[in-house]
Amino acid sequence: MARYIFVTGGVVSSLGKGLTTAALGALLQARGYKVRLRKFDPYLNIDPGTMSPYQHGEVYVTDDGAETDLDLGHYERFTGVPARRSDTVTSGRVYSDVLQRERRGDYLGGTVQVIPHVTDVIKEYIQADTGDADIVLCEVGGTVGDIEGLPFFEAMRQMAQELPHRRAILVHHTLVPYLKAAGELKTKPTQHSVKELRSIGLQPDILVCRSEHPIPEGERRKIARFCNVRESAVIPALDVDTIYQVPISYHDAGLDREVLAAFGLADRRGPDLDVWRRIVDGVRNPEGEVTIAVVGKYTGLADAYKSLAEALTHGGIANRARVDLDWIDSEIFEREDAVAHLGSVHGILVPGGFGERGAEGKILAVTFARQHRIPYFGICFGMQMAVIEATRNLAGIENASSTEFGPCENPVVGPMTEWTRENRIETRAAGGDLGGTMRLGAYDCDLVPDSRVRAIYGSDRISERHRHRYEVNINYRTVLEGCGMTIAGLSPDGELPEIVELAGHPWFVGVQFHPELKSKPFSPHPLFASFIEAAIAQSRLV
Ligand code: GLN
């Protein structure tokens, strides 16, 4: 039977609960436990799929096609455990489930209430599909005291009582701020936050105290006393220079040891953290440095491209290089000359995106990369823009476009339903709900022999994750190949171009999928490793 760790937060949001959960998962794994990591979000959206990246950061997609919170990306990057649909639950999903059961008559005429009906469904989700996991880490979004979070906290409280003793523990995050005027660290917010938890029947086992300053022993003792936890279970969490240091720092602060103690598990041998030490060493002591321009729309908000930024760092780790990112809003190229912005970068990446705004600027960035022979990596929308660019500027079909921007005469990008009568991959209803109309999740792709990507992956068939409505139109294959843009990867049925390459260019690859979602610091994605390698070669030229 699995054990459960509930991870909650108080005082303020953005305390890094997601990273703690991910790092704790990695630590327990390094001690030989099988882990699963899940996120419970109290908002009412069914999933974050339809939420703006400005609101919610990136939408992380799982192999089984769930659109999830970006914390699941941290979980996968730190543990390598592929996240599943069952690892993400929102209040929206819980309520919609309860209401469906009510309509079906499952409640046999009873009054449907938050307790027990909503909390029962939450408990079902917490315990569903845990497979052979020894320890399931459940992070609850938001902060204690939020109205919509209450049913989750109540479900956790009930579960802890219903499971055998010491099967569920609570790790609570707080903030210990430093008041400059007083020259002191303040423990009162932590005390209040724990008081709030205790008022709903929850007693934390471990407190993770985020602080910008070391927390002296006296303060830790005070927190322990007022919050009713052991002093050794007050874990200071100071800021670190790289997120890959987090597992090491938490281990040094005793987090994994305290978790085992709270479960009553023996602390046999310490975790082997060499892999994390090597990663941190690589990040701290790079031998080279490259600048990559990321030309997108949500460039003001780093969380919107979280996995992408991480994957680029991993590409750097693979090459022992520091990767500096230059986030550029593509609309700027519609007003200003690209050379001022792109002239000195070593690689250009156009990431995933939606909608017409900024698209022409992205196409101009592709032209620049192509003409100046700068390594180019197009991801999803970035591949589609590369294909439009080649069709317009190399094949001379000036009105080539994507039907995402409206009807057009030369739809080199469009929904597959426009050129096949029968959609063989899956049926997506046109004009239906906005949620759930995309090609989502992992699909196989066959790589063409002798292509660059075949050499990069070292395999004939790969599987990558998708999140898009539109596809490159296979009917333009001859046009594209006639101007040097080869289709290097195809869906196994040969209908969907998944990868394009530009012949005679140092490194020009467009992929319809999102390789960044599968990159890990301990196993950088081959495309990112290769792209950064090409950028390093470019940096030696300029
Ligand atoms: N907007 C494009 C589509 O829906 C690309 C999506 C993406 O880049 N994720 O096909």
Side-chain angles (χ1 to χ4, degrees), residues 320-340:
R320 250 199 125 78
R322 183 188 147 88
V323 178
D324 297 316
L325 300 183
D326 202 353
W327 301 96
I328 301 176
D329 184 340
S330 62
E331 279 183 297
I332 206 149
F333 302 126
E334 293 163 23
R335 299 187 300 269
E336 293 172 26
D337 193 16
V339 72

Side-chain angles (χ1 to χ4, degrees), residues 7-24:
V7 182
T8 58
V11 186
V12 291
S13 58
S14 306
L15 285 177
K17 289 189 305 253
L19 263 181
T20 304
T21 310
L24 179 56

Side-chain angles (χ1 to χ4, degrees), residues 351-355 379-381 384 404 467-470 512 514:
F354 291 84
I379 293 181
C380 204
F381 201 62
Q384 298 173 356
E404 180 169 0
R467 181 172 185 256
H468 54 101
R469 291 194 181 85
Y470 300 87
Q512 187 57 77
H514 288 277

